[in-house]
Amino acid sequence: MSIRKIPNSFRYSEELLTEYSRTSLENAHDLIEEAELLLKQGKLARAYFIAIAAIEEIGKSFIAYDAQGRNLNDSAVTAKIRYSLENHSKKISSAFHASVISHSDIKNELMTFVDIMIALKNGREPSMYTDINYSTGEIQTPGRVVSPRAANDCVQLAKHCYYKNIEHQKTRQPTVRSPSEDHFYGMKDGKVNELFNTEDFWWFHISRMEAGNQDVSESILVYQREYLNKGKRFKPKEAE
């Protein structure tokens, strides 16, 4: 996370996010070209790392593009956009969203993308920095952990993400989000996890689903307002 301080009054604008999205994709294109040059020179670890950097830039582009449909006057939305743009894991995950959206068989394809994203997140640091393998007691260097296949696959994956995001932004407009969706988006990850681990919330959401209300973000908003903030439970303990 960046330690740069920003004014409390700062808000993203659609124009700023549009430009951010465009320039991030341009930089991703340059990084991919550089990764391909490194690959040809046999600099496998560096090619792998630069390709991941390109994927992160692509993720930033998706985040900035998608955020245009949100309430940009909301301070919590502003904070979450900034957090997402500066978090390595969020950027890598976001780079694949355009690919997931474009697939008709999302359920099966999603598992493939999840495996790839985990591998990239785990491989990012070892591909650039010397470390210690505490299981073996050996020094671990980038050159030893990145194979020719892994380096080539990572570069090709960056190219795939790049072209999918180009297509996505040419053919789809940013989705306009509802107040409940923005509320959910702006929540801190710890708060979301806490709520999702609360059994009473799921009883509440199930009751709403049975009534035809499928939107989990709206359930979160209503549950917080009507129950959590008032110290109340939807389902009394004696009813469980």
Side-chain angles (χ1 to χ4, degrees):
M1 186 68 177
S2 172
I3 60 173
R4 292 177 298 162
K5 292 186 179 295
I6 62 173
N8 292 332
S9 60
F10 173 80
R11 295 291 183 272
Y12 294 95
S13 66
E14 288 189 26
E15 293 76 18
L16 179 61
L17 290 170
T18 298
E19 182 66 7
Y20 199 166
S21 180
R22 182 186 65 80
T23 54
S24 294
L25 272 182
E26 287 181 353
N27 192 37
H29 179 270
D30 291 344
L31 288 168
I32 291 170
E33 287 189 339
E34 292 165 14
E36 289 182 314
L37 290 173
L38 288 167
L39 198 59
K40 290 178 181 177
Q41 294 297 319
K43 305 295 185 181
L44 303 179
R46 297 297 184 264
Y48 186 94
F49 184 84
I50 295 298
I52 292 181
I55 290 171
E56 290 194 27
E57 284 292 275
I58 295 163
K60 284 165 64 176
S61 179
F62 183 92
I63 292 165
Y65 187 78
D66 182 69
Q68 293 174 57
R70 296 195 177 278
N71 177 10
L72 300 178
N73 292 318
D74 188 326
S75 60
V77 168
T78 298
K80 193 57 172 283
I81 293 172
R82 185 191 181 200
Y83 169 73
S84 299
L85 289 170
E86 296 180 349
N87 181 276
H88 295 299
S89 181
K90 293 283 187 184
K91 288 184 287 187
I92 290 173
S93 299
S94 296
F96 291 89
H97 284 190
S99 296
V100 172
I101 292 169
S102 68
H103 278 280
S104 56
D105 188 3
I106 292 179
K107 182 178 179 181
N108 290 330
E109 292 294 338
L110 185 58
M111 293 311 300
T112 300
F113 286 125
V114 167
D115 290 340
I116 293 171
M117 286 185 282
I118 291 173
L120 290 175
K121 292 170 186 177
N122 291 337
R124 181 183 181 278
E125 297 294 324
S127 71
M128 190 62 180
Y129 304 109
T130 301
D131 204 350
I132 297 175
N133 185 326
Y134 290 101
S135 297
T136 64
E138 297 177 344
I139 300 297
Q140 179 176 284
T141 63
R144 293 179 181 176
V145 298
V146 178
S147 68
R149 179 176 179 179
N152 182 72
D153 286 352
C154 193
V155 173
Q156 296 306 314
L157 189 61
K159 292 172 70 174
H160 166 83
C161 289
Y162 173 78
Y163 288 113
K164 280 294 182 180
N165 276 269
I166 289 286
E167 179 185 358
H168 175 81
Q169 294 183 24
K170 284 184 177 179
T171 59
R172 293 174 180 260
Q173 293 297 314
T175 302
V176 177
R177 309 294 179 172
S178 68
S180 60
E181 288 175 315
D182 281 335
H183 175 79
F184 176 57
Y185 177 78
M187 291 176 65
K188 294 183 178 179
D189 291 348
K191 193 65 176 180
V192 173
N193 292 334
E194 179 185 348
L195 195 61
F196 280 178
N197 287 325
T198 301
E199 183 179 353
D200 190 58
F201 165 73
W202 290 109
W203 284 118
F204 174 73
H205 182 53
I206 289 170
S207 73
R208 285 175 53 83
M209 291 177 65
E210 291 173 342
N213 301 310
Q214 306 294 322
D215 188 348
V216 67
S217 63
E218 187 175 346
S219 291
I220 289 173
L221 181 64
V222 177
Y223 184 80
Q224 282 191 310
R225 183 180 66 233
E226 300 298 330
Y227 296 95
L228 195 62
N229 293 345
K230 296 179 180 179
K232 297 167 59 178
R233 292 171 56 88
F234 167 72
K235 189 174 183 180
K237 287 188 176 181
E238 57 269 19
E240 295 180 354

PDB file of all heavy atoms in Angstrom, residues 109-141:
ATOM      1  N   GLU A 109     -14.411 -22.048 -16.478  1.00  0.00           N
ATOM      2  CA  GLU A 109     -13.280 -21.187 -16.814  1.00  0.00           C
ATOM      3  C   GLU A 109     -12.741 -20.469 -15.592  1.00  0.00           C
ATOM      4  O   GLU A 109     -11.549 -20.227 -15.471  1.00  0.00           O
ATOM      5  CB  GLU A 109     -13.685 -20.165 -17.884  1.00  0.00           C
ATOM      6  CG  GLU A 109     -13.981 -20.772 -19.247  1.00  0.00           C
ATOM      7  CD  GLU A 109     -12.750 -21.384 -19.884  1.00  0.00           C
ATOM      8  OE1 GLU A 109     -11.630 -21.006 -19.503  1.00  0.00           O
ATOM      9  OE2 GLU A 109     -12.927 -22.261 -20.746  1.00  0.00           O
ATOM     10  N   LEU A 110     -13.626 -20.124 -14.656  1.00  0.00           N
ATOM     11  CA  LEU A 110     -13.212 -19.372 -13.478  1.00  0.00           C
ATOM     12  C   LEU A 110     -12.193 -20.148 -12.657  1.00  0.00           C
ATOM     13  O   LEU A 110     -11.231 -19.571 -12.150  1.00  0.00           O
ATOM     14  CB  LEU A 110     -14.435 -19.025 -12.617  1.00  0.00           C
ATOM     15  CG  LEU A 110     -14.172 -18.138 -11.397  1.00  0.00           C
ATOM     16  CD1 LEU A 110     -13.541 -16.818 -11.820  1.00  0.00           C
ATOM     17  CD2 LEU A 110     -15.458 -17.890 -10.631  1.00  0.00           C
ATOM     18  N   MET A 111     -12.385 -21.465 -12.522  1.00  0.00           N
ATOM     19  CA  MET A 111     -11.448 -22.265 -11.743  1.00  0.00           C
ATOM     20  C   MET A 111     -10.057 -22.250 -12.381  1.00  0.00           C
ATOM     21  O   MET A 111      -9.047 -22.223 -11.683  1.00  0.00           O
ATOM     22  CB  MET A 111     -11.960 -23.706 -11.619  1.00  0.00           C
ATOM     23  CG  MET A 111     -13.233 -23.824 -10.788  1.00  0.00           C
ATOM     24  SD  MET A 111     -13.114 -22.944  -9.192  1.00  0.00           S
ATOM     25  CE  MET A 111     -11.724 -23.779  -8.429  1.00  0.00           C
ATOM     26  N   THR A 112     -10.012 -22.256 -13.719  1.00  0.00           N
ATOM     27  CA  THR A 112      -8.721 -22.180 -14.411  1.00  0.00           C
ATOM     28  C   THR A 112      -8.041 -20.854 -14.114  1.00  0.00           C
ATOM     29  O   THR A 112      -6.847 -20.802 -13.798  1.00  0.00           O
ATOM     30  CB  THR A 112      -8.919 -22.327 -15.930  1.00  0.00           C
ATOM     31  OG1 THR A 112      -9.525 -23.589 -16.195  1.00  0.00           O
ATOM     32  CG2 THR A 112      -7.589 -22.237 -16.660  1.00  0.00           C
ATOM     33  N   PHE A 113      -8.799 -19.760 -14.195  1.00  0.00           N
ATOM     34  CA  PHE A 113      -8.229 -18.441 -13.936  1.00  0.00           C
ATOM     35  C   PHE A 113      -7.794 -18.300 -12.477  1.00  0.00           C
ATOM     36  O   PHE A 113      -6.789 -17.653 -12.187  1.00  0.00           O
ATOM     37  CB  PHE A 113      -9.243 -17.355 -14.299  1.00  0.00           C
ATOM     38  CG  PHE A 113      -9.416 -17.164 -15.772  1.00  0.00           C
ATOM     39  CD1 PHE A 113     -10.664 -17.250 -16.356  1.00  0.00           C
ATOM     40  CD2 PHE A 113      -8.325 -16.904 -16.588  1.00  0.00           C
ATOM     41  CE1 PHE A 113     -10.829 -17.089 -17.723  1.00  0.00           C
ATOM     42  CE2 PHE A 113      -8.479 -16.736 -17.957  1.00  0.00           C
ATOM     43  CZ  PHE A 113      -9.731 -16.827 -18.532  1.00  0.00           C
ATOM     44  N   VAL A 114      -8.554 -18.882 -11.557  1.00  0.00           N
ATOM     45  CA  VAL A 114      -8.187 -18.811 -10.137  1.00  0.00           C
ATOM     46  C   VAL A 114      -6.831 -19.476  -9.922  1.00  0.00           C
ATOM     47  O   VAL A 114      -5.961 -18.937  -9.213  1.00  0.00           O
ATOM     48  CB  VAL A 114      -9.266 -19.487  -9.266  1.00  0.00           C
ATOM     49  CG1 VAL A 114      -8.747 -19.707  -7.842  1.00  0.00           C
ATOM     50  CG2 VAL A 114     -10.527 -18.636  -9.221  1.00  0.00           C
ATOM     51  N   ASP A 115      -6.628 -20.641 -10.526  1.00  0.00           N
ATOM     52  CA  ASP A 115      -5.340 -21.341 -10.391  1.00  0.00           C
ATOM     53  C   ASP A 115      -4.196 -20.491 -10.939  1.00  0.00           C
ATOM     54  O   ASP A 115      -3.115 -20.416 -10.340  1.00  0.00           O
ATOM     55  CB  ASP A 115      -5.386 -22.678 -11.133  1.00  0.00           C
ATOM     56  CG  ASP A 115      -6.301 -23.690 -10.457  1.00  0.00           C
ATOM     57  OD1 ASP A 115      -6.594 -23.509  -9.264  1.00  0.00           O
ATOM     58  OD2 ASP A 115      -6.724 -24.647 -11.132  1.00  0.00           O
ATOM     59  N   ILE A 116      -4.426 -19.846 -12.083  1.00  0.00           N
ATOM     60  CA  ILE A 116      -3.391 -19.009 -12.691  1.00  0.00           C
ATOM     61  C   ILE A 116      -3.084 -17.807 -11.806  1.00  0.00           C
ATOM     62  O   ILE A 116      -1.917 -17.457 -11.582  1.00  0.00           O
ATOM     63  CB  ILE A 116      -3.829 -18.535 -14.091  1.00  0.00           C
ATOM     64  CG1 ILE A 116      -3.923 -19.714 -15.052  1.00  0.00           C
ATOM     65  CG2 ILE A 116      -2.856 -17.484 -14.640  1.00  0.00           C
ATOM     66  CD1 ILE A 116      -4.538 -19.374 -16.386  1.00  0.00           C
ATOM     67  N   MET A 117      -4.131 -17.158 -11.292  1.00  0.00           N
ATOM     68  CA  MET A 117      -3.934 -15.975 -10.452  1.00  0.00           C
ATOM     69  C   MET A 117      -3.136 -16.308  -9.199  1.00  0.00           C
ATOM     70  O   MET A 117      -2.248 -15.555  -8.788  1.00  0.00           O
ATOM     71  CB  MET A 117      -5.283 -15.364 -10.084  1.00  0.00           C
ATOM     72  CG  MET A 117      -5.959 -14.628 -11.222  1.00  0.00           C
ATOM     73  SD  MET A 117      -7.478 -13.787 -10.728  1.00  0.00           S
ATOM     74  CE  MET A 117      -8.627 -15.162 -10.682  1.00  0.00           C
ATOM     75  N   ILE A 118      -3.434 -17.450  -8.584  1.00  0.00           N
ATOM     76  CA  ILE A 118      -2.705 -17.865  -7.382  1.00  0.00           C
ATOM     77  C   ILE A 118      -1.230 -18.091  -7.713  1.00  0.00           C
ATOM     78  O   ILE A 118      -0.333 -17.673  -6.966  1.00  0.00           O
ATOM     79  CB  ILE A 118      -3.333 -19.139  -6.783  1.00  0.00           C
ATOM     80  CG1 ILE A 118      -4.719 -18.816  -6.208  1.00  0.00           C
ATOM     81  CG2 ILE A 118      -2.436 -19.721  -5.693  1.00  0.00           C
ATOM     82  CD1 ILE A 118      -5.496 -20.026  -5.752  1.00  0.00           C
ATOM     83  N   ALA A 119      -0.975 -18.737  -8.857  1.00  0.00           N
ATOM     84  CA  ALA A 119       0.411 -19.000  -9.266  1.00  0.00           C
ATOM     85  C   ALA A 119       1.176 -17.704  -9.498  1.00  0.00           C
ATOM     86  O   ALA A 119       2.338 -17.569  -9.106  1.00  0.00           O
ATOM     87  CB  ALA A 119       0.416 -19.856 -10.532  1.00  0.00           C
ATOM     88  N   LEU A 120       0.527 -16.722 -10.117  1.00  0.00           N
ATOM     89  CA  LEU A 120       1.187 -15.441 -10.375  1.00  0.00           C
ATOM     90  C   LEU A 120       1.479 -14.692  -9.084  1.00  0.00           C
ATOM     91  O   LEU A 120       2.558 -14.107  -8.920  1.00  0.00           O
ATOM     92  CB  LEU A 120       0.317 -14.583 -11.291  1.00  0.00           C
ATOM     93  CG  LEU A 120       0.178 -15.052 -12.743  1.00  0.00           C
ATOM     94  CD1 LEU A 120      -0.804 -14.160 -13.485  1.00  0.00           C
ATOM     95  CD2 LEU A 120       1.532 -15.048 -13.442  1.00  0.00           C
ATOM     96  N   LYS A 121       0.516 -14.692  -8.176  1.00  0.00           N
ATOM     97  CA  LYS A 121       0.712 -13.987  -6.910  1.00  0.00           C
ATOM     98  C   LYS A 121       1.843 -14.617  -6.099  1.00  0.00           C
ATOM     99  O   LYS A 121       2.624 -13.923  -5.440  1.00  0.00           O
ATOM    100  CB  LYS A 121      -0.594 -13.985  -6.121  1.00  0.00           C
ATOM    101  CG  LYS A 121      -1.690 -13.131  -6.763  1.00  0.00           C
ATOM    102  CD  LYS A 121      -3.032 -13.335  -6.095  1.00  0.00           C
ATOM    103  CE  LYS A 121      -4.124 -12.587  -6.853  1.00  0.00           C
ATOM    104  NZ  LYS A 121      -5.475 -12.825  -6.279  1.00  0.00           N
ATOM    105  N   ASN A 122       1.926 -15.959  -6.158  1.00  0.00           N
ATOM    106  CA  ASN A 122       2.981 -16.655  -5.423  1.00  0.00           C
ATOM    107  C   ASN A 122       4.340 -16.526  -6.111  1.00  0.00           C
ATOM    108  O   ASN A 122       5.379 -16.588  -5.451  1.00  0.00           O
ATOM    109  CB  ASN A 122       2.628 -18.134  -5.275  1.00  0.00           C
ATOM    110  CG  ASN A 122       1.454 -18.366  -4.340  1.00  0.00           C
ATOM    111  OD1 ASN A 122       1.164 -17.531  -3.484  1.00  0.00           O
ATOM    112  ND2 ASN A 122       0.778 -19.482  -4.497  1.00  0.00           N
ATOM    113  N   GLY A 123       4.319 -16.334  -7.441  1.00  0.00           N
ATOM    114  CA  GLY A 123       5.572 -16.297  -8.186  1.00  0.00           C
ATOM    115  C   GLY A 123       6.162 -14.925  -8.365  1.00  0.00           C
ATOM    116  O   GLY A 123       7.306 -14.789  -8.806  1.00  0.00           O
ATOM    117  N   ARG A 124       5.405 -13.895  -8.011  1.00  0.00           N
ATOM    118  CA  ARG A 124       5.859 -12.522  -8.258  1.00  0.00           C
ATOM    119  C   ARG A 124       7.166 -12.210  -7.539  1.00  0.00           C
ATOM    120  O   ARG A 124       8.137 -11.748  -8.159  1.00  0.00           O
ATOM    121  CB  ARG A 124       4.768 -11.541  -7.819  1.00  0.00           C
ATOM    122  CG  ARG A 124       5.126 -10.081  -8.042  1.00  0.00           C
ATOM    123  CD  ARG A 124       4.043  -9.166  -7.512  1.00  0.00           C
ATOM    124  NE  ARG A 124       4.402  -7.781  -7.754  1.00  0.00           N
ATOM    125  CZ  ARG A 124       5.217  -7.085  -6.967  1.00  0.00           C
ATOM    126  NH1 ARG A 124       5.775  -7.639  -5.916  1.00  0.00           N
ATOM    127  NH2 ARG A 124       5.501  -5.824  -7.257  1.00  0.00           N
ATOM    128  N   GLU A 125       7.226 -12.433  -6.228  1.00  0.00           N
ATOM    129  CA  GLU A 125       8.421 -12.084  -5.450  1.00  0.00           C
ATOM    130  C   GLU A 125       9.615 -12.981  -5.785  1.00  0.00           C
ATOM    131  O   GLU A 125      10.728 -12.476  -6.016  1.00  0.00           O
ATOM    132  CB  GLU A 125       8.102 -12.156  -3.954  1.00  0.00           C
ATOM    133  CG  GLU A 125       7.036 -11.173  -3.484  1.00  0.00           C
ATOM    134  CD  GLU A 125       7.481  -9.733  -3.603  1.00  0.00           C
ATOM    135  OE1 GLU A 125       8.681  -9.473  -3.377  1.00  0.00           O
ATOM    136  OE2 GLU A 125       6.652  -8.873  -3.929  1.00  0.00           O
ATOM    137  N   PRO A 126       9.433 -14.322  -5.839  1.00  0.00           N
ATOM    138  CA  PRO A 126      10.580 -15.190  -6.152  1.00  0.00           C
ATOM    139  C   PRO A 126      11.202 -14.928  -7.517  1.00  0.00           C
ATOM    140  O   PRO A 126      12.379 -15.234  -7.731  1.00  0.00           O
ATOM    141  CB  PRO A 126       9.974 -16.609  -6.096  1.00  0.00           C
ATOM    142  CG  PRO A 126       8.792 -16.476  -5.198  1.00  0.00           C
ATOM    143  CD  PRO A 126       8.237 -15.114  -5.486  1.00  0.00           C
ATOM    144  N   SER A 127      10.424 -14.370  -8.459  1.00  0.00           N
ATOM    145  CA  SER A 127      10.961 -14.131  -9.799  1.00  0.00           C
ATOM    146  C   SER A 127      11.874 -12.910  -9.852  1.00  0.00           C
ATOM    147  O   SER A 127      12.552 -12.690 -10.861  1.00  0.00           O
ATOM    148  CB  SER A 127       9.816 -13.960 -10.803  1.00  0.00           C
ATOM    149  OG  SER A 127       9.144 -12.727 -10.607  1.00  0.00           O
ATOM    150  N   MET A 128      11.919 -12.131  -8.787  1.00  0.00           N
ATOM    151  CA  MET A 128      12.698 -10.893  -8.811  1.00  0.00           C
ATOM    152  C   MET A 128      13.760 -10.824  -7.720  1.00  0.00           C
ATOM    153  O   MET A 128      14.828 -10.244  -7.911  1.00  0.00           O
ATOM    154  CB  MET A 128      11.752  -9.698  -8.664  1.00  0.00           C
ATOM    155  CG  MET A 128      12.418  -8.352  -8.918  1.00  0.00           C
ATOM    156  SD  MET A 128      13.045  -8.226 -10.609  1.00  0.00           S
ATOM    157  CE  MET A 128      13.739  -6.570 -10.594  1.00  0.00           C
ATOM    158  N   TYR A 129      13.476 -11.456  -6.563  1.00  0.00           N
ATOM    159  CA  TYR A 129      14.344 -11.235  -5.409  1.00  0.00           C
ATOM    160  C   TYR A 129      14.970 -12.527  -4.888  1.00  0.00           C
ATOM    161  O   TYR A 129      14.350 -13.591  -4.928  1.00  0.00           O
ATOM    162  CB  TYR A 129      13.548 -10.582  -4.277  1.00  0.00           C
ATOM    163  CG  TYR A 129      12.872  -9.305  -4.688  1.00  0.00           C
ATOM    164  CD1 TYR A 129      11.488  -9.238  -4.834  1.00  0.00           C
ATOM    165  CD2 TYR A 129      13.610  -8.152  -4.955  1.00  0.00           C
ATOM    166  CE1 TYR A 129      10.861  -8.064  -5.224  1.00  0.00           C
ATOM    167  CE2 TYR A 129      12.992  -6.983  -5.346  1.00  0.00           C
ATOM    168  CZ  TYR A 129      11.613  -6.942  -5.477  1.00  0.00           C
ATOM    169  OH  TYR A 129      11.004  -5.779  -5.878  1.00  0.00           O
ATOM    170  N   THR A 130      16.190 -12.402  -4.382  1.00  0.00           N
ATOM    171  CA  THR A 130      16.845 -13.514  -3.706  1.00  0.00           C
ATOM    172  C   THR A 130      16.190 -13.728  -2.347  1.00  0.00           C
ATOM    173  O   THR A 130      15.827 -12.778  -1.653  1.00  0.00           O
ATOM    174  CB  THR A 130      18.344 -13.209  -3.501  1.00  0.00           C
ATOM    175  OG1 THR A 130      18.943 -12.971  -4.782  1.00  0.00           O
ATOM    176  CG2 THR A 130      19.050 -14.357  -2.809  1.00  0.00           C
ATOM    177  N   ASP A 131      16.036 -15.008  -1.958  1.00  0.00           N
ATOM    178  CA  ASP A 131      15.371 -15.313  -0.687  1.00  0.00           C
ATOM    179  C   ASP A 131      15.950 -16.612  -0.129  1.00  0.00           C
ATOM    180  O   ASP A 131      16.824 -17.233  -0.733  1.00  0.00           O
ATOM    181  CB  ASP A 131      13.860 -15.440  -0.909  1.00  0.00           C
ATOM    182  CG  ASP A 131      13.066 -15.181   0.372  1.00  0.00           C
ATOM    183  OD1 ASP A 131      13.687 -15.099   1.454  1.00  0.00           O
ATOM    184  OD2 ASP A 131      11.839 -15.060   0.285  1.00  0.00           O
ATOM    185  N   ILE A 132      15.420 -17.023   1.014  1.00  0.00           N
ATOM    186  CA  ILE A 132      15.828 -18.285   1.624  1.00  0.00           C
ATOM    187  C   ILE A 132      14.649 -19.246   1.588  1.00  0.00           C
ATOM    188  O   ILE A 132      13.533 -18.889   1.974  1.00  0.00           O
ATOM    189  CB  ILE A 132      16.282 -18.089   3.082  1.00  0.00           C
ATOM    190  CG1 ILE A 132      17.526 -17.196   3.138  1.00  0.00           C
ATOM    191  CG2 ILE A 132      16.570 -19.432   3.740  1.00  0.00           C
ATOM    192  CD1 ILE A 132      17.949 -16.855   4.555  1.00  0.00           C
ATOM    193  N   ASN A 133      14.897 -20.462   1.140  1.00  0.00           N
ATOM    194  CA  ASN A 133      13.897 -21.526   1.229  1.00  0.00           C
ATOM    195  C   ASN A 133      14.043 -22.152   2.610  1.00  0.00           C
ATOM    196  O   ASN A 133      14.975 -22.917   2.860  1.00  0.00           O
ATOM    197  CB  ASN A 133      14.127 -22.561   0.124  1.00  0.00           C
ATOM    198  CG  ASN A 133      13.047 -23.626   0.107  1.00  0.00           C
ATOM    199  OD1 ASN A 133      12.522 -24.005   1.144  1.00  0.00           O
ATOM    200  ND2 ASN A 133      12.740 -24.123  -1.083  1.00  0.00           N
ATOM    201  N   TYR A 134      13.116 -21.835   3.495  1.00  0.00           N
ATOM    202  CA  TYR A 134      13.257 -22.263   4.886  1.00  0.00           C
ATOM    203  C   TYR A 134      12.970 -23.749   5.080  1.00  0.00           C
ATOM    204  O   TYR A 134      13.275 -24.310   6.132  1.00  0.00           O
ATOM    205  CB  TYR A 134      12.358 -21.421   5.778  1.00  0.00           C
ATOM    206  CG  TYR A 134      12.851 -19.984   5.890  1.00  0.00           C
ATOM    207  CD1 TYR A 134      12.263 -18.965   5.147  1.00  0.00           C
ATOM    208  CD2 TYR A 134      13.936 -19.667   6.699  1.00  0.00           C
ATOM    209  CE1 TYR A 134      12.730 -17.662   5.221  1.00  0.00           C
ATOM    210  CE2 TYR A 134      14.412 -18.362   6.790  1.00  0.00           C
ATOM    211  CZ  TYR A 134      13.802 -17.365   6.042  1.00  0.00           C
ATOM    212  OH  TYR A 134      14.277 -16.076   6.117  1.00  0.00           O
ATOM    213  N   SER A 135      12.423 -24.395   4.079  1.00  0.00           N
ATOM    214  CA  SER A 135      12.185 -25.839   4.171  1.00  0.00           C
ATOM    215  C   SER A 135      13.478 -26.612   3.930  1.00  0.00           C
ATOM    216  O   SER A 135      13.709 -27.658   4.530  1.00  0.00           O
ATOM    217  CB  SER A 135      11.133 -26.275   3.142  1.00  0.00           C
ATOM    218  OG  SER A 135       9.887 -25.657   3.408  1.00  0.00           O
ATOM    219  N   THR A 136      14.331 -26.057   3.030  1.00  0.00           N
ATOM    220  CA  THR A 136      15.576 -26.751   2.689  1.00  0.00           C
ATOM    221  C   THR A 136      16.817 -26.062   3.238  1.00  0.00           C
ATOM    222  O   THR A 136      17.898 -26.652   3.272  1.00  0.00           O
ATOM    223  CB  THR A 136      15.717 -26.853   1.156  1.00  0.00           C
ATOM    224  OG1 THR A 136      15.827 -25.526   0.606  1.00  0.00           O
ATOM    225  CG2 THR A 136      14.503 -27.553   0.546  1.00  0.00           C
ATOM    226  N   GLY A 137      16.658 -24.805   3.643  1.00  0.00           N
ATOM    227  CA  GLY A 137      17.807 -24.043   4.126  1.00  0.00           C
ATOM    228  C   GLY A 137      18.696 -23.534   3.018  1.00  0.00           C
ATOM    229  O   GLY A 137      19.826 -23.094   3.266  1.00  0.00           O
ATOM    230  N   GLU A 138      18.212 -23.547   1.780  1.00  0.00           N
ATOM    231  CA  GLU A 138      19.000 -23.119   0.636  1.00  0.00           C
ATOM    232  C   GLU A 138      18.646 -21.700   0.210  1.00  0.00           C
ATOM    233  O   GLU A 138      17.524 -21.234   0.419  1.00  0.00           O
ATOM    234  CB  GLU A 138      18.766 -24.071  -0.552  1.00  0.00           C
ATOM    235  CG  GLU A 138      19.211 -25.497  -0.294  1.00  0.00           C
ATOM    236  CD  GLU A 138      18.886 -26.412  -1.472  1.00  0.00           C
ATOM    237  OE1 GLU A 138      18.068 -26.014  -2.330  1.00  0.00           O
ATOM    238  OE2 GLU A 138      19.470 -27.513  -1.509  1.00  0.00           O
ATOM    239  N   ILE A 139      19.640 -21.032  -0.391  1.00  0.00           N
ATOM    240  CA  ILE A 139      19.399 -19.718  -0.974  1.00  0.00           C
ATOM    241  C   ILE A 139      18.606 -19.907  -2.266  1.00  0.00           C
ATOM    242  O   ILE A 139      18.942 -20.728  -3.115  1.00  0.00           O
ATOM    243  CB  ILE A 139      20.714 -18.984  -1.278  1.00  0.00           C
ATOM    244  CG1 ILE A 139      21.528 -18.792   0.016  1.00  0.00           C
ATOM    245  CG2 ILE A 139      20.428 -17.631  -1.936  1.00  0.00           C
ATOM    246  CD1 ILE A 139      20.836 -17.933   1.049  1.00  0.00           C
ATOM    247  N   GLN A 140      17.550 -19.138  -2.417  1.00  0.00           N
ATOM    248  CA  GLN A 140      16.683 -19.228  -3.597  1.00  0.00           C
ATOM    249  C   GLN A 140      16.890 -17.999  -4.466  1.00  0.00           C
ATOM    250  O   GLN A 140      16.725 -16.878  -4.009  1.00  0.00           O
ATOM    251  CB  GLN A 140      15.224 -19.321  -3.136  1.00  0.00           C
ATOM    252  CG  GLN A 140      14.203 -19.393  -4.252  1.00  0.00           C
ATOM    253  CD  GLN A 140      12.807 -19.575  -3.691  1.00  0.00           C
ATOM    254  OE1 GLN A 140      12.423 -20.659  -3.260  1.00  0.00           O
ATOM    255  NE2 GLN A 140      12.043 -18.498  -3.668  1.00  0.00           N
ATOM    256  N   THR A 141      17.301 -18.215  -5.707  1.00  0.00           N
ATOM    257  CA  THR A 141      17.518 -17.099  -6.628  1.00  0.00           C
ATOM    258  C   THR A 141      16.493 -17.153  -7.758  1.00  0.00           C
ATOM    259  O   THR A 141      15.990 -18.235  -8.089  1.00  0.00           O
ATOM    260  CB  THR A 141      18.927 -17.154  -7.236  1.00  0.00           C
ATOM    261  OG1 THR A 141      19.056 -18.357  -8.001  1.00  0.00           O
ATOM    262  CG2 THR A 141      19.986 -17.116  -6.149  1.00  0.00           C
TER     263      THR A 141
END
